[in-house]
Amino acid sequence: MAASRYRRFLRLCEEWPVEETKQQRDLGSFLRQKVAQAFREGENTPIPDPEACDQMYESLVRIHTNFYKNKYPRLKDTTFTGVTVEDCRTILATDILRQMEDRKKGMWKRLREKFSAKKPEEDLK
């Protein structure tokens, strides 16, 4: 029975897209890591709680297939602020978040990082 559960999770991982714009923060990558950890022995991995495993799988399938998005359709594809889904994706991209972090730094810190030969983390040591 563990073999069929393992194959179902593998199939789900294959279908789940990986967003390249969200490096180290992507749900698809996180899911792949967790499945690899949970099924270390592959099909031979003993499952301590099969009901919880099946429940987790069904929940992930509902997320992947947009079950609740389809069940409760929205009238508009924008938020209350008028921001579209594409705008949100752009804002949450890793590159944009890094740029925003750089802007939060003070001018002195940015100049010091720019002209310093060593990394700022080494200054703290």
Side-chain angles (χ1 to χ4, degrees):
M1 201 61 182
S4 65
R5 285 186 178 92
Y6 175 65
R7 281 188 237 117
R8 288 190 317 172
F9 273 101
L10 281 182
R11 200 172 329 116
L12 181 64
C13 287
E14 288 173 3
E15 293 174 4
W16 204 292
V18 175
E19 283 194 55
E20 298 299 326
T21 60
K22 294 182 180 177
Q23 300 160 354
Q24 299 175 349
R25 298 178 301 117
D26 179 50
L27 186 57
S29 300
F30 180 77
L31 175 65
R32 285 170 179 77
Q33 290 172 350
K34 288 297 182 181
V35 168
Q37 287 174 357
F39 293 97
R40 287 190 182 122
E41 298 174 26
E43 294 181 352
N44 299 326
T45 304
I47 299 174
D49 191 359
E51 290 178 13
C53 181
D54 292 340
Q55 199 172 34
M56 178 68 72
Y57 174 77
E58 293 301 324
S59 297
L60 289 170
V61 167
R62 283 193 297 269
I63 293 171
H64 176 62
T65 59
N66 291 322
F67 177 80
Y68 291 105
K69 179 183 177 188
N70 297 331
K71 186 175 179 179
Y72 304 106
R74 297 175 57 129
L75 299 176
K76 297 180 182 179
D77 285 335
T78 61
T79 62
F80 72 96
T81 60
V83 178
T84 64
V85 174
E86 282 304 313
D87 292 339
C88 286
R89 282 194 181 120
T90 303
I91 291 168
L92 292 174
T94 303
D95 297 336
I96 300 297
L97 291 175
R98 277 194 201 121
Q99 289 175 6
M100 291 173 67
E101 283 295 319
D102 288 342
R103 285 186 181 174
K104 286 182 182 177
K105 295 178 183 175
M107 189 166 124
W108 175 250
K109 192 169 189 175
R110 277 188 274 155
L111 285 172
R112 193 174 78 187
E113 285 177 2
K114 187 174 184 177
F115 295 110
S116 176
K118 53 186 174 179
K119 296 179 182 175
E121 293 86 29
E122 294 175 3
D123 287 343
L124 298 174
K125 292 181 182 177

